[in-house]
Amino acid sequence: MEYINVNNSNSIREIVERLNAQSFYTASYDFLLSDDLIIYGYFIDESLEYGATELFVFGKTIRPNEIGRSPSNSIFARLKQYGSSGKYKGLLNLKGEIILPNIYDEITLFAYNRLLVKKSGKYGIVDTDGKVLAEPKYDQIVDAWEYTIGFALNNRVGFMNTNCNIIIEPKYCIDSINNTFHDGLIVVSEMIDDSKYQFCIDHYGLIHGNMENISPEEEYDPSYENFINDEYSDPLDAYDGDPDARWNTD
């Protein structure tokens, strides 16, 4: 599947003409030229057995007669009402049907024939039929390879399958989101008893190999008070017993 940007009305007209010709003019795609539609781009999949399937990322303005009036006693009653700016995006199919409402900030190509949606700073996943597989509630969603999807939720990392069923609950450190599966294993890190451990897990979350403690070692830095109270040490030793030489630290 590929995503193609649409930059201007001329591009839309070219797309409509191409689609009409491909159908031998037995179908009309003039709905894409509607004044209340903004077509941002489209997804095309030419690998399907029966030809290409196209989905259009759209925004939609609201006509004045479609805007609900504010109650007469509302503080907004005297304000002018305008249509939507069209900045929110959804999906149209080739029949002109809205298969995903235009309520999302972004709709982008993901992996495994899935699409990534963004809403209010959170991410989710939909399929090419517009079915929401994962609600937009995740901080990050990444391709973890080998038909596995990694996600971050509340600063913890977990994993799901391509149908967005969670197979490994989010419990790993956030740096694990940068890793991917290789030959059935992925490197993750986890806080255990206030120490950070790194190890490998499989697609079921089972640990393979050894767990390595990677917590940073604390540097030993004795306090000045402890140093001068040590009966076996004398700060003047560094200056050969000459207190006037303390200013010279060379």
Side-chain angles (χ1 to χ4, degrees), residues 180-192:
T180 53
F181 278 92
H182 296 274
D183 298 325
L185 298 177
I186 188 172
V187 177
V188 294
S189 55
E190 183 180 2
M191 295 299 297
I192 302 174

Side-chain angles (χ1 to χ4, degrees), residues 37-250:
L37 281 182
I38 302 172
I39 304 298
Y40 292 99
Y42 60 97
F43 299 98
I44 183 169
D45 188 354
E46 297 179 335
S47 66
L48 300 179
E49 182 178 357
Y50 298 104
T53 293
E54 300 186 37
L55 299 173
F56 299 91
V57 178
F58 79 98
K60 191 175 190 297
T61 58
I62 301 174
R63 299 179 184 277
N65 62 347
E66 296 175 332
I67 302 174
R69 293 183 176 274
S70 298
S72 58
N73 60 347
S74 167
I75 63 173
F76 302 104
R78 295 184 181 181
L79 296 178
K80 293 182 179 180
Q81 298 197 42
Y82 298 92
S84 166
S85 66
K87 69 177 182 178
Y88 297 110
K89 299 174 181 178
L91 287 177
L92 286 173
N93 64 16
L94 276 175
K95 297 179 180 179
E97 300 168 336
I98 297 176
I99 62 172
L100 191 69
N102 57 314
I103 59 174
Y104 299 97
D105 299 317
E106 293 293 340
I107 303 175
T108 54
L109 190 61
F110 188 57
Y112 314 115
N113 214 34
R114 304 290 187 239
L115 306 177
L116 190 69
V117 294
K118 182 181 180 181
K119 184 179 180 182
S120 301
K122 302 293 184 179
Y123 295 90
I125 294 177
V126 302
D127 65 15
T128 53
D129 293 324
K131 180 181 179 181
V132 178
L133 302 178
E135 294 289 343
K137 64 178 183 180
Y138 299 99
D139 302 317
Q140 293 184 68
I141 292 180
V142 300
D143 179 11
W145 295 11
E146 296 186 0
Y147 299 97
T148 306
I149 298 170
F151 65 89
L153 182 64
N154 298 325
N155 215 36
R156 288 289 180 265
V157 173
F159 299 93
M160 58 179 76
N161 61 22
T162 56
N163 290 323
C164 298
N165 299 315
I166 294 177
I167 51 178
I168 301 176
E169 295 292 334
K171 64 177 182 177
Y172 303 109
C173 298
I174 194 65
D175 55 5
S176 303
I177 199 72
N178 300 318
N179 301 332
T180 53
F181 278 92
H182 296 274
D183 298 325
L185 298 177
I186 188 172
V187 177
V188 294
S189 55
E190 183 180 2
M191 295 299 297
I192 302 174
D193 296 331
D194 297 326
S195 294
K196 189 175 184 180
Y197 288 85
Q198 188 177 73
F199 49 91
C200 290
I201 60 171
D202 61 19
H203 287 280
Y204 301 97
L206 300 177
I207 298 175
H208 292 253
N210 298 324
M211 301 176 66
E212 179 184 359
N213 188 335
I214 59 172
S215 297
E217 295 183 1
E218 295 184 4
E219 294 184 2
Y220 176 67
D221 186 16
S223 66
Y224 177 73
E225 290 78 7
N226 289 339
F227 178 77
I228 63 175
N229 290 333
D230 186 350
E231 61 178 329
Y232 297 105
S233 64
D234 185 346
L236 293 180
D237 289 346
Y239 307 98
D240 296 328
D242 182 3
D244 293 332
R246 291 190 184 188
W247 63 270
N248 186 357
T249 57
D250 293 336

Side-chain angles (χ1 to χ4, degrees), residues 8-59:
N8 52 54
S9 59
N10 289 333
S11 295
I12 297 295
R13 293 186 180 278
E14 291 172 3
I15 293 169
V16 169
E17 291 173 3
R18 173 176 60 82
L19 291 173
N20 286 340
Q22 286 177 350
S23 71
F24 298 99
Y25 299 95
T26 58
S28 175
Y29 299 94
D30 291 349
F31 64 86
L32 293 171
L33 300 173
S34 174
D35 291 337
D36 61 355
L37 281 182
I38 302 172
I39 304 298
Y40 292 99
Y42 60 97
F43 299 98
I44 183 169
D45 188 354
E46 297 179 335
S47 66
L48 300 179
E49 182 178 357
Y50 298 104
T53 293
E54 300 186 37
L55 299 173
F56 299 91
V57 178
F58 79 98

